[in-house]
Amino acid sequence: QSIANELRTSGACLSIDLWAAVQRGKGAHHAYHVHEGTILSGVYYARCPPAGCAPLVLKKPSGDECIADGTANEDESSRYRYATSETEDGIEEGDAVIHPEEGQLILFPP
């Protein structure tokens, strides 16, 4: 059943919450956090520095949840990958690592 039909038949309210953050300077980033109670989350990269934006890291879900199928076409393979081992920056095996580009909108489950 589609999300729209589910909302319509359940009598639930739909609320759209938005917020913005501007990250400036070397090492600027958001700490790991969870978007609880949502059905969709996203990040829009309005502008990126010449050296590129820091990667967006989507933590591997716990339990039996699953995130994409791990495939990427050749054009996307350098911008999207799954980590294969833990690194010093907190990226763990199975985390999705996305290297965004200016003007890119990335939507993902909470």
Side-chain angles (χ1 to χ4, degrees):
Q1 187 173 15
S2 74
I3 292 172
N5 285 338
E6 182 70 28
L7 290 170
R8 203 173 10 255
T9 59
S10 71
C13 290
L14 176 62
S15 172
I16 299 175
D17 298 317
L18 304 170
W19 59 274
V22 176
Q23 303 294 329
R24 296 188 189 275
K26 185 175 176 91
H29 69 282
H30 277 294
Y32 171 71
H33 61 278
V34 176
H35 298 174
E36 292 185 32
T38 64
I39 56 173
L40 184 67
S41 295
V43 180
Y44 176 68
Y45 291 84
R47 193 174 305 158
C48 291
C53 291
L56 173 64
V57 179
L58 303 176
K59 302 302 280 180
K60 178 181 177 182
S62 59
D64 295 328
E65 303 164 282
C66 95
I67 47 181
D69 64 4
T71 61
N73 68 39
E74 290 181 21
D75 294 336
E76 295 176 335
S77 61
S78 64
R79 294 186 311 160
Y80 176 79
R81 67 177 176 82
Y82 281 90
T84 55
S85 62
E86 187 168 353
T87 63
E88 62 186 57
D89 54 8
I91 298 171
E92 299 173 346
E93 184 172 348
D95 291 348
V97 181
I98 302 168
H99 296 276
E101 296 179 348
E102 191 167 304
Q104 187 173 18
L105 172 65
I106 301 169
L107 300 174
F108 50 92

